[in-house]
Amino acid sequence: MTSTLTTPTTTPGTELWRPLEDTGHDTAVSVVLKLRGETCDIDCLYCFEKRKLAPGGAQITVKHVRRLGTIFGQRPLAIELHGGEPLTVGKPAMAALLDELAAQPTVHRVHLQTNGVRLDAEWLDLFDAHYPGLHIGISMDGDEQGNSWRLGYDGTAAYRHIVNALNLLADRGRTCGIVTVVTPAVLGRAAKVIDHIAAFDAVRAVHLLPAFDTTVTNPLGTTGRRPSPSRRLQAEAIGADGPAWAITPAQYAEFVLDATARWIGAGHFRRIKLDPAVATIRRLKGLDTAHCHFSAHKCSHVLTAYPDGRLGSCDELPWPRAHLLPLAAARTESDITQAQHANPLLTAGRHLMTKCAACPYHSVCGGGCTATRWRMVKATGDDDAYCDHRARLIDGMAHLLAAPDHPAGAHCLRAHWRPLVPNVMDDPDIFLARWDNPTAPRPPAQLLASDHGNINTTGLPGEHPADDLDPHHPQWRAGIEDRVWPLLDTITRRWNAVTYDSCQGHAHSGTTLAPSPFRIGLLPRNRAEYAALAARLCHTLAATDGYLPAAITAHLDRTDLTSARTGRRHQALNLTLTPASTWDDYFTVIDQAVRTLTHAARHTPEVTTCACATRPPRPARETR
């Protein structure tokens, strides 16, 4: 039985890096204004801006802002007022900047990112008077313990100032976003941290940023004769293996998954947007996102202006290599694009994206953060750890999207997101209702067999549709290919699961068609069944570790099944056997592999959690 057209997708469905000149003038450019460069009134030990040795003391002026408005013509601008600490420009200068931004018709959004230390009622009055629609972001690393790296120059914690700022915003009826840097101070406490942030009424968004700083080996210098307490603490935190505030990509992925599970379970999603969770989920659902890590609008669409007149690419990229040209030298957008194409760092970033073309995650991942990948390649020679953590995020989010009430499954290391294109059924809801209704009408099916053993409506080899059958249909057994029948019968009869697609595997010898792998597609009835089936399949595969022929690899795939009638996406699970070496070797031992898997399935009981905690699987991030 094969009721759908299912082909693993390995070619890019969307661009991974789109040059600025290739986007319409209705596509926004993000411009980060480093109002005072690195100047800040606190001295967070992990601050990346101060490591760039950006110019401090001077500040962005109205003249700089006006210049931006002439460069890009009618293209919309999203402005971020950043630092250092942007409020250190003082109230008169800030008022003039906001007035200029308000007067520019192409500026459609202005965001202020502050540490909150200086924020008071006078500042909020100023914002209301000069730019009422100003978006405010507060830097807060979760609870008090999480903020242990956010210190003043005297070594005292900034946490109480952040709390005062959030309470003030709530009292004034204003909202804000939170930027949380994920360090070891919050690891293992994701639920508590998310609950703490959500307790502040002003918060409407949380962005979790990783402290991927393992390559930092030197503390910052000091301009005085004696280092400040904060600089002494920073020096003490940096060891031979990197700084104590750094985390690994794998740690970040696990924290984000735990945070997302709590965000869903506690209902925080009703009021607060959580990223990168929302961006990942949107891409899993086939929707666009403005998050540059998940879209093609990467470093070409992000610019950074500094007080000394330098204009560069994304502020996450290292300076001075991210420098493009002096702001005064940029007369039109074409000057910007020419500088972008001449920049070796951006060229290297675009080159990194070529690795993504064959990756099964590319349609959701979007290539990730170019700056972070570039740093990892420069430090270690590759960015595999970064790519692995992106895969973990997507795998886990796919589970939370399908079964949010069963968060433990998000940590399964065997179930991987694998989109199939196309993967369509006429109406999965009607099919599920008929499956459990023995009295439903079941018209005769057209079943034709090819010379290669394919059973479908055409009798031809390759991927072709077939009538949707179920165990109550008189032709049920006749519609199932022989090799797949024992395992499919076990899963549908003993496990009471629904199968929407199956294939025994076909070599298609003597044709120009590519071979087809063995697979069984499962369509869970509800979220609870999805979680239970995923866990049971994980145990089944665990039982075959070391027993399957070396020429074959078994996969548990998370995917979508789309309704042709409604367009609704149904979360599905696929059990697939693929070649570990050659197709000839594969078809030599496929029957043995299926017998092994069927035996394991018959002896796998119902379970509530997967087997990964007790029997970690072999790495399975492949490009098939």
Side-chain angles (χ1 to χ4, degrees):
M1 178 184 73
T2 173
S3 58
T4 58
L5 297 178
T6 57
T7 304
T9 178
T10 57
T11 55
T14 57
E15 296 175 79
L16 291 165
W17 181 308
R18 184 173 299 174
L20 180 59
E21 67 270 24
D22 286 356
T23 58
H25 285 283
D26 58 345
T27 301
V29 167
S30 177
V31 182
V32 183
L33 301 180
K34 299 290 186 179
L35 297 188
R36 294 289 308 283
E38 67 175 15
T39 300
C40 189
D41 46 8
I42 63 174
D43 197 31
C44 302
L45 304 195
Y46 54 60
C47 179
F48 76 91
E49 193 65 43
K50 292 175 182 176
R51 291 201 300 270
K52 293 193 295 186
L53 300 178
Q59 63 186 47
I60 295 279
T61 66
V62 168
K63 182 179 178 180
H64 292 134
V65 174
R66 191 171 297 137
R67 182 80 180 172
L68 288 171
T70 65
I71 293 172
F72 292 100
Q74 298 304 307
R75 187 184 289 274
L77 300 179
I79 303 295
E80 180 155 348
L81 307 178
H82 210 279
E85 171 51 47
L87 298 189
T88 60
V89 299
K91 294 184 175 70
M94 180 66 77
L97 290 170
L98 292 177
D99 285 343
E100 179 60 33
L101 290 169
Q104 293 192 17
T106 57
V107 173
H108 73 106
R109 183 178 187 273
V110 179
H111 179 92
L112 172 83
Q113 188 64 36
T114 174
N115 59 35
V117 170
R118 296 179 180 231
L119 196 65
D120 57 20
E122 290 185 4
W123 273 113
L124 295 182
D125 289 340
L126 184 150
F127 299 154
D128 289 341
H130 296 271
Y131 205 101
L134 180 71
H135 295 259
I136 297 176
I138 303 288
S139 300
M140 183 177 79
D141 301 341
D143 57 10
E144 186 169 9
Q145 179 181 338
N147 283 274
S148 57
W149 299 106
R150 300 186 61 78
L151 304 176
Y153 287 91
D154 60 359
T156 60
Y159 175 73
R160 63 180 180 85
H161 299 291
I162 303 170
V163 170
N164 291 338
L166 290 172
N167 290 335
L168 174 63
L169 289 171
D171 291 342
R172 294 286 292 262
R174 295 196 66 129
T175 61
C176 70
I178 295 292
V179 171
T180 293
V181 178
V182 179
T183 69
V186 298
L187 294 181
R189 304 189 304 110
K192 184 176 181 180
V193 168
I194 291 299
D195 285 349
H196 182 83
I197 296 174
F200 292 96
D201 292 338
V203 176
R204 291 295 181 272
V206 179
H207 194 171
L208 303 175
L209 295 179
F212 291 160
D213 288 344
T214 53
T215 58
V216 174
T217 56
N218 296 311
L220 293 171
T222 182
T223 57
R225 294 172 59 185
R226 299 177 59 186
S228 66
S230 59
R231 296 297 166 90
R232 290 199 299 268
L233 289 169
Q234 186 193 65
E236 293 169 2
I238 298 178
D241 296 328
W245 65 76
I247 63 170
T248 66
Q251 289 173 323
Y252 175 69
E254 295 308 306
F255 180 87
V256 171
L257 290 175
D258 285 339
T260 304
R262 182 60 181 177
W263 172 70
I264 295 171
H268 299 321
F269 67 90
R270 297 185 179 93
R271 177 170 63 92
I272 295 172
K273 176 186 176 185
L274 179 67
D275 266 325
V278 170
T280 311
I281 290 170
R282 286 186 62 84
R283 295 304 300 135
L284 283 166
K285 296 176 73 173
L287 303 173
D288 290 332
T289 175
H291 196 312
C292 62
H293 295 188
F294 293 84
S295 77
H297 296 162
K298 297 194 182 298
C299 305
S300 294
H301 289 73
V302 181
L303 299 169
T304 306
Y306 278 94
D308 63 350
R310 288 185 299 171
L311 185 67
S313 189
C314 171
D315 66 331
E316 290 280 352
L317 290 164
W319 283 79
R321 282 163 288 183
H323 180 243
L324 295 175
L325 74 171
L327 182 60
R331 296 175 300 278
T332 66
E333 185 176 304
S334 64
D335 294 326
I336 303 292
T337 57
Q338 289 177 23
Q340 288 176 333
H341 286 291
N343 184 281
L345 194 62
L346 294 185
T347 300
R350 288 192 295 272
H351 181 72
L352 283 175
M353 296 298 121
T354 61
K355 173 183 177 180
C356 304
C359 177
Y361 292 96
H362 79 268
S363 63
V364 176
C365 172
C369 175
T370 309
T372 304
R373 291 180 62 180
W374 185 89
R375 287 197 300 269
M376 290 191 173
V377 169
K378 185 173 177 61
T380 65
D382 63 54
D383 56 356
D384 289 350
Y386 182 82
C387 294
D388 287 343
H389 108 276
R390 296 281 290 182
R392 278 293 302 123
L393 277 177
I394 294 168
D395 292 339
M397 290 294 178
H399 176 89
L400 292 174
L401 180 61
D405 301 328
H406 305 271
H411 295 282
C412 179
L413 299 177
R414 292 180 195 277
H416 300 285
W417 171 254
R418 291 294 181 269
L420 298 174
V421 180
N423 199 29
V424 181
M425 174 180 276
D426 183 53
D427 194 320
D429 290 312
I430 292 176
F431 176 69
L432 285 171
R434 185 171 66 246
W435 185 283
D436 291 322
N437 182 6
T439 64
R442 291 172 170 82
Q446 178 172 311
L447 303 177
L448 299 175
S450 75
D451 293 339
H452 300 267
N454 312 82
I455 299 178
N456 51 49
T457 58
T458 65
L460 297 174
E463 302 290 345
H464 293 281
D467 291 326
D468 300 325
L469 304 179
D470 62 80
H472 299 292
H473 196 287
Q475 296 168 277
W476 167 244
R477 175 62 187 92
I480 308 299
E481 295 167 355
D482 288 343
R483 182 185 293 127
V484 79
W485 168 255
L487 180 56
L488 187 143
D489 181 55
T490 298
I491 291 175
T492 56
R493 184 167 51 84
R494 296 195 184 192
W495 292 17
N496 191 32
V498 177
T499 178
Y500 72 93
D501 180 32
S502 66
C503 177
Q504 71 175 12
H506 305 283
H508 296 145
S509 301
T511 75
T512 59
L513 296 171
S516 300
F518 176 100
R519 68 173 179 270
I520 294 177
L522 301 179
L523 181 60
R525 297 173 176 86
N526 50 52
R527 293 172 172 178
E529 186 172 84
Y530 180 99
L533 276 174
R536 199 170 189 180
L537 287 167
C538 178
H539 277 271
T540 298
L541 294 186
T544 66
D545 279 346
Y547 296 98
L548 285 178
I552 286 182
T553 303
H555 304 270
L556 171 54
D557 299 335
R558 306 184 190 275
T559 194
D560 283 334
L561 175 64
T562 301
S563 170
R565 189 175 68 86
T566 67
R568 178 189 168 196
R569 294 189 178 203
H570 296 251
Q571 280 72 45
L573 295 164
N574 284 348
L575 184 61
T576 312
L577 299 179
T578 62
S581 53
T582 68
W583 280 106
D584 286 341
D585 291 342
Y586 175 88
F587 283 108
T588 299
V589 296
I590 182 65
D591 290 310
Q592 176 188 344
V594 174
R595 287 193 297 270
T596 300
L597 200 55
T598 302
H599 177 81
R602 287 172 177 168
H603 293 84
T604 301
E606 294 185 35
V607 291
T608 56
T609 58
C610 75
C612 293
T614 55
R615 299 184 65 176
R618 296 166 292 182
R621 188 179 64 84
E622 77 299 317
T623 55
R624 63 178 173 87

